[in-house]
Each structure stands twice: as structure tokens, then as C-alpha cells.
Amino acid sequence: MKDDSQSDTSSVLRLNIGGKKFWTTIDTMTHREPDSMLAAMFSGRHTLSQDPHKGYVFVDRDGTHFRHILNWLRDGVVPTLEEAEYTELLREAEYYQLLGLIDGIQDVLSKRKEDDELRTELTRTDIIKCIQSEKVRFRGVNLSGIDLSKLDLSFVDFSYACLKNVFFSRANLQCAKFRDVDAEGSIFHNANLRECEFTGANLRGALLAGACLQSANLQDACLVDCSFCEADLRSAHLQNADLINANLEGANLEGANLKGAKLNNANLKGANLQRAYMRHVDLRDTYKV
């Protein structure tokens, strides 16, 4: 039903986010991030799913971190969280199209990774010096927490390295090798990963939203809880990959090989699966609407 009270920006909103109840105002939802999905929802232009008895507007998302989203909309402050929680909050910020919050989280993670560099075997400066040579290998090196965003790391060999929580956002990693790496929780947001090799890699909880993974080899990789929102996975090799709970909303999987992949509880809403090879794929509880 459409709520006529939405014309009053001070109107109280009752929200039910995946079963968790919140109270806020129209002004909070629309002021700080005017181009977001939330601002559009409560602009008065759209019909909302509302409980006719209690007046709660229902949104089918996990409400665990929605209080942080509301506090961001109220105060513009990025919360202090653990790495895994930031990854979860980023997914929600992506869904609600809160670009300011996404940038704020990435700034916090970038600063945290700069501090963590002191505990790694190499620093960002060391990496920049190394990639000036023709053949670069970081096989088996511990680069955990380092910020490698926006660097040209094409053809670099990271095989067997520890890349936990590394920040690869917008980096050029075309044809790079990540064979058997431990890259749990790493961020590849909008990175170029075309024709990369991730065979046997652990990417649990990694953020690959908007990344180009065209023709990438992800066979036997652990991709549990990964976010591939709007990622380009055309002709990608995903044989026997573990994609349980992965978010593939809006991803382009045209021509991808998913033979034997596990997609239990994965989100395939709006994904392009044209010509994808799906033999022996486990699609139990997969969301495909």
C-alpha cells in the first residue's frame, strides 16, 4: 500500500528488516544518501509492502547490520567492526546502494591495512618496486592485510601466498595466478581478474562485486559466502567450486562451466545463466527469482 504520510519527512517509519524491527523517519532515509535504494523506496513514488495492522514496512534482507546503516544515515559515522563484519556490512550497503557508506568502509579498511603492513613480509612500497620488473612472483609470501588497490599486478604469481584481508579493489590483476592461495575476506571490488587462475584457492567471504572474472579459472575453489554482485563471470571455469551462500545477484555467468558446483542457498536473482553448463550442480535452496 502507498503511505500518504510519506509527504511529511518527519513522519515516523516502522521497518521490519528480515524480522528485526526499527523505527526511523522519512528524512533519515532520504537525506544523506538521496540516490540510494532506500531514498527511492521512501520518496512516496513507490508502493511498499506494509503490515496493514501494525504499519511495519517489510524488507526481505538480513537485519543484523541495519542499525549501522541507520546510524550512518543519521550521523554519517562508519562503525568500528571486525573485518568479517565489515564484509557483511559492505554487502548490505551494496544492496541498498549507499555509495557514501561503501566509500567510508573502504577508507577505514584501507587505513587498517596500512597499519597491518608493518606485520607483513612486504609493504605496498615493496610491491610497487617489485612489479617494475618483468616477472614477479610472490609465491608463498605472507601479504595479509596489505593494501594493493589500484595497482597494475597483471601476470603476477601469488600462488600459495597468504592473502587474508588483502585490499585489491580496482587493481588490474589480469592473468595473475592465485593457485591454492588463502585469500579469505579479501576485497576485489571492481578489480580486473580476467583469465586469472584461482584453482584450489580459499576465497571464503571475499568481496568480488563488480569484478571482471571473464574466463577466470576457479575450479575447486572455496567461494563460500562470497559476493559476486554484478560481477562478469562469462566463460569462467567453476567446476566443483563451493559457492554455498554466495551472492551472485546480477552476475553475468553466460557460458560459464559450473559442472559439479555447490550452489546451496546461493542468490542467483537476476543472474545471466545463458549457455552456462550446469550438469551435476547442487541447487538446493538456491534463490533464483
Side-chain angles (χ1 to χ4, degrees), residues 104-133:
I105 293 171
Q106 290 178 343
D107 287 344
V108 170
L109 290 174
S110 180
K111 177 61 169 63
R112 184 174 291 185
K113 285 171 175 55
E114 288 177 6
D115 296 338
D116 288 344
E117 282 185 1
L118 296 175
R119 297 191 292 272
T120 63
E121 295 182 46
L122 295 171
T123 66
R124 179 183 173 91
T125 302
D126 295 328
I127 300 293
I128 292 172
K129 291 178 181 178
C130 289
I131 60 178
Q132 294 173 359
S133 60

Side-chain angles (χ1 to χ4, degrees), residues 9 32 37 73 116 132 164-165 204 226 237 252-253:
T9 60
R32 187 172 301 280
M37 179 189 295
L73 293 173
D116 288 344
Q132 294 173 359
K164 286 184 176 181
N165 301 312
R204 181 184 291 268
C226 282
H237 303 277
N252 189 350
L253 289 149

Side-chain angles (χ1 to χ4, degrees), residues 60-62 91 204 223-229 241-249 261-269 278 281-289:
D60 189 13
R61 294 293 293 180
D62 187 345
R91 288 178 188 157
R204 181 184 291 268
L223 306 171
V224 175
D225 295 322
C226 282
S227 174
F228 290 96
C229 289
D242 190 345
L243 285 150
I244 293 175
N245 293 324
N247 188 355
L248 291 149
E249 184 172 346
K262 297 177 183 177
L263 283 160
N264 312 47
N265 294 314
N267 181 4
L268 288 167
K269 181 181 178 183
M278 307 281 286
V281 173
D282 189 343
L283 291 166
R284 285 176 296 173
D285 301 315
T286 300
Y287 182 58
K288 304 185 286 293
V289 177

Side-chain angles (χ1 to χ4, degrees), residues 29-50:
M29 301 297 276
T30 58
H31 179 68
R32 187 172 301 280
E33 299 263 15
D35 298 321
S36 69
M37 179 189 295
L38 290 173
M41 284 175 62
F42 298 102
S43 64
R45 301 191 303 269
H46 301 284
T47 301
L48 304 174
S49 175
Q50 191 168 13

